[in-house]
Every structure is written in structure tokens, then in C-alpha cells.
Amino acid sequence: MKALAIAGTELRMMLRDRGSVFFIFLMPMMLILVVGVAFGSGGDARVGLVVQDGGPLAARMAAELRELSGLRVRVVSDVEDLTADVERGRLEAGVVIPDGYDRAVRAGSAGVVRFVSREGAMDGVRLGFRVQAVAGQETERLKAARYAASQGDGPLDEMLARADRTAPSVPEVAVETVTVGEEQIYADAEQFDVGASQQLVLFIFLTAMNGSVAMIVSRRLGIANRMLATPTPVRTILAGTALARVGLALFQGLVLMIGSAALFGVGWGSPAGAAALLVAFCLAGGGAAMLAGAIFRTEQQVNGVGLLLSLGLGALGGSMMPMEFFSPALRTVAFLIPHGWANDGFAVLVLEGGGLGDILVNVGVLLAYAAVLLALGTWLLRRALLSGVR
């Protein structure tokens, strides 16, 4: 019971600061939102449409674009506004049907449709192919109608209507798609799924490391010595200190999981698998915090070195970029640290639909890290307490 009381006291100390509450809970949620909006692939692509021609052929082209699945087409008043919206990221791409489109097509000239996207944007390239496909279909329709009209079968508008009636009876060419090699991008992932698990791993470890500050303050103010003066065994003090770090990490992880699921629709996969992975990584993070609290002597050391260490390990372990984009050498490095095993396990659960049995190795490795870190941190902290080091 004393260990729980010590853990509760330290948790209240760490959560008393409003800045800590923002950093522990609100900032990760904000980053999940930002990463999902900026890089997520979920949801319909936003495409702007400027129709400067009032003819029926231009109207048909616009209607074909609106019927494309996966697109949210928005009519924009002019080209300048469309370009500005694409540049600022409010639209993924834009299409302009210029004035004179109908006249050019009816005269047998090329009807030009402009496509606007940001340079180098993968969404723009993908959407450009889809717009080209629509334009290609419309071109074939016009060619057929124009040929029939040239044979004296009737005017162009009548031949276009005949082409539309005939098209459903014409056999289509079937395209069979075969994917070879290993899939590197999770096509079925929702918009916020990838970023949520990465930010969870990054901030749990970062918060645990920052929790080492309270351990140093406790020694500097003599709180640990006063506890030793009471009939409280050293092992109880150490147990309470470790429980506080692991408890804070678990609390933060649960808040982020539940909050991201409620606000952004993140699916964490198998509940048993997610719980096991979360507990294992929180134990590893708590062990790292114990070790940092025993090694460092000042708050400045923890805030500086601890921050750099947390961000560095997060980057190497796939918390800032999916490990599917890592080179083989960097991927090997990722699995030398707990972050790599945690991120890989959450990818299996969240993005591949795996279960607890698929991540048993990940959980086992994280528990091994936790055992080593907790044992080493507890031993060093016990020495520091008994020797009176502050």
C-alpha cells in the first residue's frame, strides 16, 4: 500500500503543472490531427472545378468528373482562386474547362482541359491520371460521333446521342491487376491510423523520460532521504517510483488511444493485442525513466539529453516515418531499440488487421527490454538513495 501511495503522490506532482497536461495529452492529439490531415490517404480527394464554357459538351465533361468515385469536386469561381487553393493545400488538384471548349470540339480541333496540381505531389499525379482517363473516354466518344457525322448519318449532336445509346452494348476491355513483391504502402489504412500509433509510441517514451525530473527533484529536496528515515523499506520506495512512471505512461497511452478512436476514428485492432503491446512498451518506457533518473543529476540534463534521446530513438524507431520507407540497414537499426518493435507491432494490429498471436515476438522483446531497464535503473537508484547522492 505504501508503494501505491508513493506512486500516487508522484503522479499528482507530475500532473499538477498545466503545461505538462498540455504536453502529455493535448499535443499528441494535435500532432495526430496534423499528420493525418497533411499525409493521410483517407477520405475523398478535394478537386476544384472551373467551368468557363457554357456549352453542353463542357457540361458533360464536368458531369463526368463529378461522377468519379473518391473525388469531392467543388466548383470554384475563377482560375486565380483555384490556383491559390491548390498552392495552399485547400485542394489536392484543380480542373479548368476553358472558354471555347465546345467551339473547338465541334470544329474538329483539340479541346483543351487544364489540370492544376502542386509540383511533386503524389496525389496530384494520381488525380492527373484519373482526369486524363475521363478526357480519353470523352475523346473516343467524340471521335465515334464525328466519324458517323462525316459519313452523312446525321448532325454531330444526334451522333453523340447515338454513341451514348450504343456504348453500353460494346464489350469493355478487362484489365487484370497483379501486385508483385511486398506492399510498402498501406492502401487500406484510414487517414489517421498511421500517425496515431507513431505519435503514441513517441510521446509515451518522451513523457516517461520527462518523468525522471521528479525523481531528481525528490533527491535534491531531500524527500527521498526523509522517506528513508521512516519505517519504509528501500524496495517500497523503489516500487512506488517505478509504478508512478509506468502508471503515467499507461494513463497517457489509454487517453491517446480512446481519444484518437473517438475523435479521428482510429481503429487500434485487436483489443488484447493493443493492450499487451501498450503495457509492454510502457514498462520499457518506465524502465528507461528509472535509469535516467538514477544517472542524471540535474533537471537540465534530463530536459536536454532526455529530449534529444527520445526524439532520436523515435526517429530511428519509425515514429516519424513509417519503417516501410527505411533502407534495409536503417530497418535493422530500428529493431535494436524498443520503438522499432512497438511501431512494428502497432502496424501489424492497426494496418494489417493482425491479432495478439501475430505480435507475441514484439511483446516478448519489449518485456525483455523492460526487465533489463527496470532492473538496471532500480539497482542504480537504490545505490544513489543509500549513498545519499543528491
Side-chain angles (χ1 to χ4, degrees):
M1 294 300 294
K2 281 189 177 182
L4 292 176
I6 293 171
T9 301
E10 293 211 19
L11 281 174
R12 287 192 295 271
M13 289 175 58
M14 288 185 283
L15 295 175
R16 187 176 300 166
D17 183 13
R18 293 183 180 179
S20 298
V21 173
F22 171 81
F23 184 81
I24 294 173
F25 302 114
L26 298 182
M27 188 173 178
M29 297 297 291
M30 292 171 60
L31 285 177
I32 292 173
L33 173 63
V34 170
V35 171
V37 170
F39 303 105
S41 60
D44 295 339
R46 300 161 299 176
V47 177
L49 176 62
V50 176
V51 182
Q52 296 177 328
D53 194 305
L57 296 179
R60 177 185 171 88
M61 173 66 77
E64 292 289 336
L65 291 171
R66 290 192 185 95
E67 291 178 3
L68 283 176
S69 62
L71 263 63
R72 194 165 67 232
V73 178
R74 189 183 81 194
V75 176
V76 183
S77 59
D78 54 54
V79 178
E80 289 75 16
D81 290 343
L82 176 70
T83 303
D85 287 345
V86 173
E87 287 178 345
R88 295 170 183 172
R90 290 194 287 262
L91 296 172
E92 275 75 43
V95 178
V96 179
I97 303 178
D99 187 25
Y101 173 84
D102 265 46
R103 291 194 304 272
V105 171
R106 291 180 184 279
S109 302
V112 178
V113 175
R114 292 174 56 193
F115 180 76
V116 182
S117 69
R118 292 191 301 275
E119 183 178 3
M122 291 304 299
D123 280 343
V125 174
R126 176 174 54 84
L127 294 173
F129 286 137
R130 301 194 67 186
V131 172
Q132 287 179 354
V134 173
Q137 291 177 358
E138 190 66 10
T139 298
E140 296 305 317
R141 170 178 174 268
L142 288 167
K143 284 181 178 179
R146 191 176 290 128
Y147 175 78
S150 69
Q151 299 301 309
D153 293 343
L156 180 63
D157 288 337
E158 183 179 333
M159 294 302 99
L160 286 170
R162 182 181 296 180
D164 291 339
R165 293 193 299 269
T166 306
S169 62
V170 177
E172 296 182 354
V173 177
V175 178
E176 181 181 354
T177 303
V178 179
T179 302
V180 297
E182 296 184 359
E183 184 180 18
Q184 293 190 344
I185 299 178
Y186 299 101
D188 297 330
E190 294 298 328
Q191 185 173 14
F192 300 98
D193 285 353
V194 178
S197 59
Q198 292 173 343
Q199 298 306 314
L200 176 77
V201 172
L202 175 65
F203 275 89
I204 282 179
F205 193 85
L206 186 57
T207 300
M209 291 297 291
N210 286 338
S212 304
V213 174
M215 298 168 58
I216 296 172
V217 171
S218 176
R219 295 207 309 273
R220 179 170 57 81
L221 297 179
I223 298 175
N225 289 340
R226 288 197 292 272
M227 283 193 293
L228 286 174
T230 66
T232 304
V234 177
R235 63 177 179 274
T236 301
I237 298 175
L238 295 174
T241 303
L243 282 173
R245 271 80 212 157
V246 176
L248 179 60
L250 280 172
F251 182 55
Q252 181 189 30
L254 288 173
V255 170
L256 294 183
M257 280 185 166
I258 296 172
S260 62
L263 296 177
F264 309 125
V266 176
W268 290 95
S270 164
L277 200 60
L278 176 65
V279 171
F281 187 70
C282 288
L283 287 169
M290 291 285 288
L291 184 59
I295 293 175
F296 295 130
R297 293 291 176 262
T298 66
E299 297 93 317
Q300 290 76 17
Q301 289 177 333
V302 173
N303 291 330
V305 179
L307 177 62
L308 291 176
L309 183 63
S310 299
L311 295 179
L313 292 177
L316 291 174
S319 288
M320 298 182 184
M321 178 187 295
M323 288 192 293
E324 284 68 31
F325 296 102
F326 282 13
S327 65
L330 191 57
R331 189 173 175 85
T332 300
V333 173
F335 284 105
L336 296 178
I337 56 179
H339 297 65
W341 291 98
N343 280 312
D344 180 70
F346 278 118
V348 172
L349 294 176
V350 178
L351 306 175
E352 299 178 10
L356 177 59
D358 300 309
I359 59 166
L360 286 178
V361 174
N362 301 68
V363 173
V365 173
L366 288 174
L367 289 176
Y369 272 113
V372 173
L373 291 171
L374 283 170
L376 185 58
T378 301
W379 177 68
L380 290 175
L381 186 59
R382 184 178 185 277
R383 288 185 57 189
L385 290 175
L386 293 179
S387 62
V389 175
R390 299 186 182 183

